[in-house]
Amino acid sequence: MAPELIFKDGNAGEPLQLIASGSWTAAHAASLEEKIAAIKFEAPGSRRLDIDIAGIGELDTFGAWLLERLSRACIAHGYDARLVEVSGRFRGLLDEMHACSRDKPPLVKQNPILAKLEGLGVAATEFGQDLVRLIDLVGRLCSAIALTFRHPSRFRFASTIHHLDRAGWQALPIIFLITLLIGAIIAQQGIFHFRKFGAGDYAVDLIGILVLRELGVLIVAIMVAGRSGSSYTAELGSMKMREEIDALRTMGLDPVEVLMLPRIVALVCAMPILTFFGSMCALYGGGLVAWLYGGMSPPIYIARLKEVVTVTHFEVGMIKSPFMALVIGLVACSEGLQVAGSAESLGLKTTASVVKSIFLVIVMDGFFAIFFASIGM
Amino acid sequence: MGSSPEQSILRVRDLVVGFGDQTVLDGVSLDVYRGEILGVVGASGGGKSVLMRTIIGLIHKWRGSITVFDKDLDRASPEEIRAVERRWGILFQQGALFSSLTAQENVQFPMCEHLDLSKALLEEVAAAKLEMVGISPGDGRKLPAELSGGMVKRVALARALALDPEIVFLDEPTSGLDPIAAGEFDSLIGTLQQTLGLTVFMVTHDLDSLHTVCNRIIALADRKVVAAGPVAAMLACEHPWVKAYFRGKRSRDISGTSATTH
Ligand SMILES: Nc1ncnc2c1ncn2[C@@H]1O[C@H](COP(=O)(O)OP(=O)(O)OP(=O)(O)O)[C@@H](O)[C@H]1O
Ligand SMILES: [Mg+2]
């Protein structure tokens, strides 16, 4: 039954009357709100006003709250309002509503410009804190390593092997595939463009040097950051969310030693191996394209590679890779430990972990390039 | 409390549920009648949560039938099941609040999805529901991670009641509350039952709740319902587990004190 709200002005001396009837339920709440808003209050005489609810057949919390809101509005307008003809079965609910929200806390209003400025400041200090946290984590990792050297039995060998399997062995197929494709693409582009000035053979120099020095390790680092770094952050983050890390701490175990050291050690071991295989695969892919697309037979490709590639190029790539693994592992763990209670923050931190570690890996690669150039490698 | 079949709001027959090769429930039958507060007791790990989750359709049953609001859930169309789901409210054992929404937004969420109300009314009713369960408006702005365990329970109850459901399933609503708050919680459930005609299916270990608010109790043991009826029936039951539960030392203390205060 549709709800009704009728306003009746009694004779002078008699109380005003609001007569409510029908179903005061959530389904009709929208129309009820309009009806309540439509009531026009006369001059604020301190007259009595009875809200007669005898006709209400159905009442739920939404309806009860609307009644309560109505009577509060009347009182605010200076009427002496009360509910009359309350049947027994509604009394409890109306009383509950009557007791609610008597004192609303003031909403803190913020100046939008100030809020933007505050956000900027927070982001800036956040950046500084990030660095401090990373350095702090390096320190704790070092002390954990030192402790492990003194008590080698405390090193979590099984856990390290497990992570080595996940971050290294299980990553091989995708690394093979990606680096093979990258090598092939570089070869195709190199041959295509170098041919224009009759230097198609120099594509091999391009492939050999680029892959061994830069691309092999960078592609692998980006893959590892996306694959293992993100999963480290998500694992540690959800453990943080469910107080598992606090539980570890209270048992006298150091989360850095138990959770991070095996992960980071595994990553530092796995990354050079992945880089090696990745580089080889890229060279192989380049060779395939040189043969099928450039018409250079494999023996010639290999001979040419031997001529241009020196051990130095190979070393440059391999030396970089464990450092990149260290950065990825550290960033992933530190972001994981910063996860707060919500699922949203877990997602944010996982994204941040991947973005930050890829950024740092590329910045570090730049510094390595300067360094190797200045020592003549 | 009437027991005629047309008043039965939830009917479970010969329910068999298990995981892998472990049978958790083996031939459970029970009825929940409109307007009653049914308490379900059983040993920890005895399958109470599994029973509740099977009824609300989160766990697949092996055999048996479940009828809610006269709809057999096996034969109901997806729309009918959605309509049924709108008429029940659920409080999970761990609260299951949405972690990225504040307490108040958690309560508002189902209203927002299912009802066409103005924003101001939504906020006011959500705040009122939170106050009914004893959460102040200031705490309503906190995220679940910032609430205490008991507060999480209350917010979860407020969310279960958001749509004014006809039946609520509560999984250990008073565990984690102090005895006074647990008592208030019980009386709140009693009030809601009277005013809204609410039916309550409550898994509980709280002997106080069982004594004060539950109209009827079902005892699960050995994967079956071993006893059903009011407290008196439980006290008279000779099943060893029920006997230990209701006539053990802790329960004697409670029935003893309540006997002296009456
Ligand atoms: N998803 C699942 N997979 C496998 N086994 C499960 C699963 N959920 C529950 N169980 C098993 O079912 C049994 C009953 O569990 P249930 O959670 O129903 O216990 P309970 O009676 O609610 O106990 P408590 O009072 O401690 O909450 C337990 O043995 C549990 O291990
Ligand atoms: Mg349980």
Side-chain angles (χ1 to χ4, degrees):
Chain A
M1 195 170 59
E4 287 297 337
L5 185 63
I6 299 163
F7 190 58
K8 246 174 52 190
D9 201 348
N11 301 328
E14 270 180 40
L16 294 171
Q17 273 197 317
L18 272 171
I19 298 171
S21 62
S23 305
W24 283 57
T25 56
H28 302 287
S31 75
L32 275 170
E33 247 194 317
E34 282 169 24
K35 288 201 174 79
I36 291 174
I39 294 175
K40 288 190 195 59
F41 293 102
E42 310 280 307
S46 59
R47 287 182 66 181
R48 252 185 71 196
L49 187 147
D50 288 344
I51 303 171
D52 183 341
I53 63 168
I56 291 186
E58 258 187 293
L59 185 72
D60 64 6
T61 42
F62 294 88
W65 173 253
L66 283 169
L67 280 174
E68 177 61 27
R69 196 160 105 172
L70 177 64
S71 84
R72 281 185 202 181
C74 295
I75 291 169
H77 278 86
Y79 290 93
D80 176 19
R82 71 183 65 181
L83 297 177
V84 294
E85 304 278 337
V86 182
S87 79
R89 69 196 166 114
F90 298 150
R91 165 136 341 254
L93 188 59
L94 289 168
D95 285 349
E96 284 282 352
M97 287 297 157
H98 189 66
C100 275
S101 310
R102 290 270 108 179
D103 42 341
K104 270 210 179 130
L107 259 177
V108 232
K109 269 260 172 184
Q110 245 193 345
N111 184 329
I113 297 171
L114 275 185
K116 276 269 180 305
L117 281 178
E118 190 193 334
L120 206 66
V122 168
T125 52
E126 192 70 18
F127 182 75
Q129 280 170 355
D130 248 8
L131 269 183
V132 173
R133 260 194 295 264
L134 223 54
I135 293 169
D136 168 59
L137 205 59
V138 172
R140 287 202 277 166
L141 198 69
C142 286
S143 80
I145 291 172
L147 209 70
T148 318
F149 270 113
R150 261 198 288 153
H151 311 278
S153 61
R154 282 175 66 162
F155 184 65
R156 289 170 201 263
F157 215 70
S159 163
T160 310
I161 297 291
H162 169 74
H163 287 294
L164 205 54
D165 171 54
R166 278 181 40 195
W169 179 244
Q170 292 179 21
L172 274 179
I174 185 70
I175 297 266
F176 279 162
L177 183 68
I178 299 274
T179 50
L180 187 85
L181 289 176
I182 297 275
I185 292 166
I186 292 172
Q188 190 270 336
Q189 289 290 306
I191 291 168
F192 181 78
H193 289 283
F194 284 175
R195 247 188 205 161
K196 285 184 196 159
F197 32 94
D201 288 359
Y202 282 98
V204 182
D205 301 40
L206 174 76
I207 302 166
I209 295 175
L210 196 59
V211 162
L212 289 182
R213 282 188 82 103
E214 297 293 337
L215 269 189
V217 64
L218 268 186
I219 296 292
V220 168
I222 290 171
M223 287 299 297
V224 165
R227 222 185 140 270
S228 309
S230 61
S231 81
Y232 286 3
T233 307
E235 281 165 18
L236 292 180
S238 67
M239 289 180 80
K240 175 91 192 300
M241 262 164 80
R242 289 192 283 160
E243 299 176 325
E244 289 173 45
I245 290 186
D246 298 337
L248 264 181
R249 213 169 259 146
T250 55
M251 292 171 199
L253 295 167
D254 179 12
V256 173
E257 191 191 325
V258 178
L259 299 173
M260 280 170 229
L261 191 60
R263 283 181 167 78
I264 292 179
V265 166
L267 215 54
V268 170
C269 295
M271 184 85 174
I273 301 172
L274 290 177
T275 306
F276 174 76
F277 282 115
S279 302
M280 292 307 119
C281 245
L283 292 182
Y284 186 79
L288 275 183
V289 169
W291 182 27
L292 299 174
Y293 174 81
M296 181 188 279
S297 71
I300 298 179
Y301 178 79
I302 292 171
R304 180 110 195 122
L305 263 187
K306 263 189 196 155
E307 256 173 58
V308 294
V309 171
T310 62
V311 172
T312 315
H313 295 313
F314 176 69
E315 280 172 359
V316 165
M318 295 305 284
I319 289 173
K320 285 193 280 193
S321 73
F323 291 96
M324 294 189 171
L326 189 65
V327 166
I328 294 169
L330 282 173
V331 170
C333 292
S334 104
E335 293 294 325
L337 289 186
Q338 286 171 55
V339 169
S342 73
E344 196 182 347
S345 96
L346 181 62
L348 280 178
K349 291 297 171 196
T350 309
T351 309
S353 151
V354 175
V355 171
K356 279 183 191 165
S357 51
I358 291 179
F359 170 75
L360 283 179
V361 157
I362 289 174
V363 168
M364 204 165 73
D365 193 49
F367 281 115
F368 267 119
I370 298 170
F371 172 72
F372 285 129
S374 63
I375 64 165
M377 266 178 99
Chain B
M1 201 53 41
S3 57
S4 51
E6 68 270 16
Q7 277 186 312
S8 164
I9 193 168
L10 165 69
R11 194 160 50 237
V12 175
R13 288 288 173 270
D14 301 319
L15 189 67
V16 184
V17 186
F19 301 96
D21 51 7
Q22 175 198 12
T23 316
V24 177
L25 300 173
D26 191 4
V28 167
S29 299
L30 59 90
D31 284 280
V32 183
Y33 303 110
R34 187 172 287 280
E36 77 171 343
I37 299 182
L38 177 74
V40 177
V41 299
S44 196
K48 304 180 295 299
S49 298
V50 168
L51 173 64
M52 193 184 107
R53 295 170 69 89
T54 309
I55 293 173
I56 59 186
L58 295 176
I59 296 178
H60 273 289
K61 57 186 188 299
W62 285 356
R63 250 177 292 127
S65 74
I66 297 168
T67 312
V68 189
F69 306 126
D70 289 324
K71 287 239 157 30
D72 186 339
L73 293 186
D74 288 332
R75 300 210 184 85
S77 66
E79 288 83 54
E80 284 174 323
I81 290 183
R82 254 197 300 285
V84 167
E85 281 169 351
R86 207 185 147 313
R87 290 164 71 188
W88 68 33
I90 288 131
L91 183 153
F92 289 96
Q93 194 165 6
Q94 316 291 344
L97 296 180
F98 302 122
S99 59
S100 45
L101 302 181
T102 63
Q104 174 150 355
E105 286 166 346
N106 261 287
V107 180
Q108 258 165 263
F109 180 77
M111 300 183 194
C112 228
E113 292 300 311
H114 288 289
L115 303 175
D116 180 26
L117 300 179
S118 73
K119 199 162 173 291
L121 182 62
L122 271 181
E123 275 174 14
E124 285 168 12
V125 176
K129 297 221 169 179
L130 281 174
E131 271 199 67
M132 275 163 73
V133 297
I135 299 281
S136 70
D139 288 336
R141 287 199 215 112
K142 290 186 178 162
L143 288 170
E146 299 160 354
L147 298 173
S148 79
M151 283 154 88
V152 168
K153 277 272 154 74
R154 296 181 203 206
V155 176
L157 178 71
R159 189 180 69 178
L161 296 174
L163 293 174
D164 283 330
E166 289 168 50
I167 178 166
V168 284
F169 295 88
L170 312 175
D171 199 348
E172 301 192 20
T174 52
S175 69
L177 298 184
D178 64 89
I180 300 171
E184 283 171 2
F185 203 99
D186 287 341
S187 62
L188 169 68
I189 289 176
T191 311
L192 291 169
Q193 177 215 17
Q194 277 149 30
T195 53
L196 299 175
L198 194 65
T199 309
V200 181
F201 178 101
M202 176 159 72
V203 174
T204 186
H205 286 306
D206 188 340
L207 285 163
D208 272 324
S209 307
L210 290 171
H211 280 277
T212 52
V213 291
C214 290
N215 306 118
R216 221 155 53 84
I217 296 170
I218 278 181
L220 277 182
D222 310 330
R223 307 197 281 272
K224 283 189 176 55
V225 174
V226 291
V231 176
M234 295 293 133
L235 291 173
C237 179
E238 283 305 320
H239 187 278
W241 186 84
V242 180
K243 210 163 135 182
Y245 193 99
F246 285 93
R247 284 184 270 169
K249 181 177 176 310
R250 281 164 62 98
S251 60
R252 264 203 309 278
D253 293 347
I254 282 172
S255 30
T257 46
S258 58
T260 50
T261 49
H262 282 308

